[in-house]
Amino acid sequence: MKMTQFYLPTLKENPTEAEIVSHQLMLRAGLIRKLSAGIYTYLPLGMRVLRKIENIIREEMTRAGAQEVLMPSLQPAELWQESGRWEIMGPLMARLQDRKCHDYCIGPTHEEVVTDLVRHEVNSYKQLPLNLFQIQTKVRDEIRPRFGVMRSREFIMKDAYSFDKDQEGLDLSYQKMYDAYTRIFQRIGLRFRAVEADSGAIGGSSSHEFMVLADSGEDAIVFCDNCQYAANVERAESMVSLEDGCEELKELAKVSTPDVKTIDNMVEFFNLPAGKMIKTLAYVAGKTMIIALIRGCDEVNEVKLRNQLNAVDVRLASDEEVLERFSAPVGFLGPIGLKDIRIIADPLVMKIQNGVTGANQMDYHYRHVNPGRDFTVREEDIIDLRIVKEEDSCIHCNEPLKVARGIEVGHVFKLGTKYSEAMNATFLDENGKEQPLIMGCYGIGVTRIIGAAIEQNNDEHGIIWPMPIAPFHVVIIPIGKDEEVSRVAEQVYTDLDNRGIEVLLDDRNERPGVKFNDADLIGVPVRVVIGGRGLKENRIEVKFRGTGDELKVAVEEIVDFITDQVESQLV
Ligand code: ATP
Ligand code: MG
């Protein structure tokens, strides 16, 4: 490709709307342009990267035995009503009506459509296992679209769905996808980690997320360097000591505590550590209010709470809701004397001795609070509610845990019979008995990968593409107007092209500095500079974008040399 014929609109300045470096660079390097909030056009340079990522995914999915299909974006409401998700999806789902006033959505995901497809096609165990995948556009009306293509409202996903006759089959299908994902992200050249993920109220370790490690990541992941434990913080657990204390239990006492509202205030006022405070938080799940108890030194993991409540969503109650329900403001709530409200408590709260909590009365707290004696919680509602913190002990090996940020680029999930039962997708087993299909689903954020790769690979000059997804392998920059320079540049360009190397020839009539800057900005891994002086010495200059290494290569060796370099980095 010749630069003069390539549509590559680069920007000099950082666009103000872009908060993180990948978003800035995708706009500056001319990969994308915004149409509307969270909705982007891919320009030719972006398209080249996108296609490479898609191809790696396609190859590995095919290698793992999945078959490609393409399902529609436009999906009838009936299917979603059958699965029960027409309501559950809420405002995330884009909805519309056709001219006959029938409801449709624009698919945010495809479990319903694929289940509908397969229930009409598959009826015998002999047709199983089956794994279908597609690379297709999804629409989700995200509350906060941001970071460019990382959290957009229209994006491309690879989604695969496996169908098996039994649990062992599902385990195998899942493992194949897990392995394929590992190969995909390795081939793309990302530093990533597979972590245990929350699998909603279904439970079990039947879900993993693939996280690209980056400080700008929206997810927190917890991992242990000593053993292999790694989990999304939403799910992570740590080892805690639940031994009984040995303090003498003192008599409960109400204390006047004007303006003592926060845990810090309480620590100061009572001169006790935050671990002695029983933080009492009111949450709303659906239309029901509940209480969560956690130690003052801990935070509530709302995903664990949501799973315990089997709720779609939970949120903290507002100040007004709290005041109305408890006749006491936020900061003065406590479990003592509460009636007709479900209390969920972290087990560590139940071990506190002579603790402190709110008295459900403005400006009053209780001291010498002893759970079990002064209030009770149902056994089944005493559950791990904490957010795991750095330095907590690993649940498997007791070593200190670490916390890092990650970008979720993939998610594998054992669905079981959730959709097949709801939608009556069955097959006849070896005994002629009707059984629901056992399903798994497997997603990759294809467009999100572009942003994630840039987050991990950039410097102050621009993007540094890993070779396997670079839009071009090599950029050739001729310097000056010397005819010999142009001739050699054209020759090297053609020879490399014939060898299957993707070359961008910067044939623009620009100063060398401008060409160098653009080459760095768009991140081409190998830069070849051809100048008159070098040619006189039979030398061509090669520079690697990643390492910054520079060297000179003889003219007659340049094509072999570059071909070797590029091919050795393509896996
Ligand atoms: P998130 O937690 O980031 O909202 P999700 O868990 O809802 O994502 P899945 O339904 O698991 O997403 O979708 C599969 C993959 O699609 C995700 O792992 C992610 O890489 C990608 N993805 C999801 N939402 C978006 C989005 N709004 N923009 C870009 N990619 C997305
Ligand atoms: Mg996910």
Side-chain angles (χ1 to χ4, degrees):
M1 179 58 69
K2 293 192 175 160
M3 195 87 125
T4 48
Q5 280 145 46
F6 190 59
Y7 181 54
L8 179 62
T10 57
L11 308 174
K12 289 221 163 44
E13 303 296 325
N14 263 339
T16 47
E17 84 231 44
E19 297 166 61
I20 59 171
V21 68
S22 59
H23 188 193
Q24 291 165 1
L25 287 173
M26 286 184 76
L27 290 165
R28 278 190 55 206
L31 275 83
I32 53 166
R33 285 293 178 264
K34 177 168 131 181
L35 174 65
S36 170
I39 306 181
Y40 293 90
T41 296
Y42 289 80
L43 302 182
L45 196 72
M47 252 342 262
R48 293 181 71 100
V49 178
L50 184 57
R51 284 283 177 257
K52 293 214 169 162
I53 295 172
E54 286 179 358
N55 285 339
I56 291 173
I57 294 174
R58 193 171 271 121
E59 273 175 33
E60 293 299 337
M61 291 307 290
T62 309
R63 191 209 296 260
Q67 299 172 68
E68 189 165 7
V69 294
L70 182 59
M71 292 181 271
S73 279
L74 212 51
Q75 308 178 2
E78 287 76 27
L79 283 184
W80 292 79
Q81 281 151 356
E82 254 188 270
S83 73
R85 290 209 291 183
W86 184 253
E87 298 295 328
I88 291 174
M89 278 289 166
L92 188 76
M93 192 151 81
R95 297 157 206 255
L96 70 164
Q97 287 191 331
D98 69 5
R99 62 173 77 204
K100 295 183 192 132
C101 297
H102 292 149
D103 285 324
Y104 283 79
C105 70
I106 310 180
T109 175
H110 278 71
E111 282 82 8
E112 280 77 359
V113 174
V114 80
T115 307
D116 178 65
L117 174 78
V118 169
R119 71 177 163 183
H120 290 117
E121 307 293 330
V122 170
N123 42 40
S124 159
Y125 71 95
K126 290 182 194 147
Q127 292 161 285
L128 301 173
L130 179 65
N131 188 331
L132 300 174
F133 81 98
Q134 63 175 347
I135 295 176
Q136 190 261 8
T137 300
K138 304 279 185 265
V139 170
R140 295 183 182 180
D141 195 1
E142 300 276 359
I143 291 188
R144 253 188 102 196
R146 58 181 189 155
F147 300 161
V149 301
M150 294 261 227
R151 183 164 298 284
S152 46
R153 295 199 295 165
E154 181 173 313
F155 59 97
I156 298 175
M157 196 199 284
K158 184 287 300 176
D159 44 332
Y161 305 88
S162 67
F163 298 86
D164 278 282
K165 64 184 165 90
D166 51 27
Q167 188 61 39
E168 294 78 70
L170 171 60
D171 292 347
L172 205 65
S173 297
Y174 185 85
Q175 190 60 42
K176 277 191 188 158
M177 287 295 104
Y178 185 104
D179 295 342
Y181 277 36
T182 303
R183 275 200 304 273
I184 288 167
F185 298 124
Q186 273 168 355
R187 278 186 63 184
I188 292 175
L190 297 169
R191 292 183 298 284
F192 69 97
R193 216 175 180 128
V195 305
E196 288 178 18
D198 172 57
S199 47
I202 305 167
S205 75
S206 51
S207 169
H208 287 87
E209 286 162 345
F210 287 77
M211 294 286 186
V212 163
L213 306 172
D215 291 339
S216 58
E218 290 187 294
D219 285 277
I221 61 176
V222 170
F223 62 95
C224 174
D225 270 341
N226 186 52
C227 69
Q228 288 307 305
Y229 183 62
N232 190 315
V233 76
E234 291 179 349
R235 178 191 164 84
E237 296 170 58
S238 60
M239 189 83 91
V240 289
S241 162
L242 289 176
E243 273 174 41
D244 290 327
C246 51
E247 285 180 35
E248 188 190 324
L249 304 191
K250 297 185 186 151
E251 200 176 321
L252 185 69
K254 203 189 235 183
V255 188
S256 163
T257 54
D259 278 337
V260 176
K261 288 181 198 157
T262 63
I263 296 293
D264 286 347
N265 298 155
M266 287 162 73
V267 166
E268 198 179 320
F269 185 93
F270 289 97
N271 195 20
L272 284 171
K276 287 274 191 191
M277 310 299 166
I278 303 173
K279 194 154 53 171
T280 307
L281 299 163
Y283 279 92
V284 181
K287 293 195 171 65
T288 320
M289 199 176 281
I290 64 104
I291 289 289
L293 304 181
I294 193 101
R295 294 186 308 177
C297 55
D298 293 328
E299 300 295 330
V300 170
N301 182 328
E302 293 184 0
V303 174
K304 291 179 182 172
L305 183 63
R306 191 182 69 197
N307 290 343
Q308 175 69 4
L309 295 167
N310 223 332
V312 178
D313 244 326
V314 293
R315 62 170 175 86
L316 270 174
S318 66
D319 290 359
E320 297 74 42
E321 284 168 322
V322 168
L323 203 55
E324 191 187 329
R325 176 71 177 72
F326 302 96
S327 311
V330 170
F332 296 97
L333 298 192
I336 299 174
L338 282 185
K339 288 205 180 64
D340 304 326
I341 191 158
R342 184 168 170 193
I343 301 177
I344 320 266
D346 186 84
L348 290 169
V349 165
M350 304 311 284
K351 294 289 171 195
I352 290 178
Q353 295 188 308
N354 300 320
V356 174
T357 197
N360 297 321
Q361 186 180 346
M362 171 103 162
D363 291 344
Y364 282 92
H365 280 82
Y366 281 117
R367 73 183 331 160
H368 305 152
V369 178
N370 288 288
R373 181 191 74 180
D374 301 324
F375 68 93
T376 53
V377 177
R378 291 192 311 167
E379 198 62 42
E380 59 270 32
D381 279 336
I382 301 175
I383 57 144
D384 169 31
L385 263 189
R386 301 171 60 239
I387 296 184
V388 169
K389 293 187 287 233
E390 180 111 19
E391 299 292 318
D392 278 359
S393 302
C394 174
I395 187 90
H396 294 306
C397 71
N398 228 348
E399 288 297 305
L401 290 167
K402 295 198 167 131
V403 177
R405 311 283 320 165
I407 302 166
E408 181 194 325
V409 288
H411 196 169
V412 292
F413 205 108
K414 287 185 189 170
L415 288 170
T417 55
K418 185 172 171 193
Y419 293 91
S420 49
E421 276 183 20
M423 298 180 64
N424 198 25
T426 60
F427 68 99
L428 294 180
D429 70 10
E430 285 93 333
N431 305 315
K433 195 163 166 258
E434 194 169 333
Q435 305 275 7
L437 289 157
I438 317 246
M439 293 173 59
C441 69
Y442 317 93
I444 290 184
V446 181
T447 38
R448 183 179 282 183
I449 287 176
I450 306 178
I454 298 175
E455 281 299 311
Q456 277 193 343
N457 300 287
N458 70 79
D459 63 12
E460 68 273 28
H461 304 296
I463 303 169
I464 307 172
W465 290 112
M467 190 65 85
I469 60 167
F472 294 96
H473 301 136
V474 180
V475 55
I476 298 179
I477 301 182
I479 306 275
K481 301 205 169 66
D482 192 327
E483 253 176 50
E484 181 62 3
V485 167
S486 307
R487 193 192 62 76
V488 174
E490 281 281 343
Q491 190 63 51
V492 174
Y493 170 70
T494 314
D495 290 350
L496 284 172
D497 189 54
N498 287 339
R499 301 248 190 129
I501 304 296
E502 296 170 22
V503 193
L504 182 63
L505 173 62
D506 193 346
D507 56 344
R508 293 176 301 170
N509 190 12
E510 285 283 2
R511 286 180 293 115
V514 172
K515 294 183 177 187
F516 293 161
N517 286 345
D518 279 344
D520 281 352
L521 175 63
I522 65 172
V524 181
V526 186
R527 186 182 88 181
V528 174
V529 177
I530 303 178
R533 213 178 319 145
L535 285 187
K536 284 202 186 90
E537 296 164 13
N538 195 34
R539 288 283 182 270
I540 290 177
E541 193 186 294
V542 178
K543 186 172 181 188
F544 296 97
R545 179 75 179 89
T547 57
D549 290 348
E550 266 178 284
L551 72 170
K552 295 196 164 58
V553 179
V555 176
E556 64 277 11
E557 283 165 16
I558 190 79
V559 174
D560 281 343
F561 177 78
I562 298 288
T563 309
D564 285 350
Q565 288 293 325
V566 171
E567 284 177 353
S568 69
Q569 289 180 54
L570 289 175
V571 273

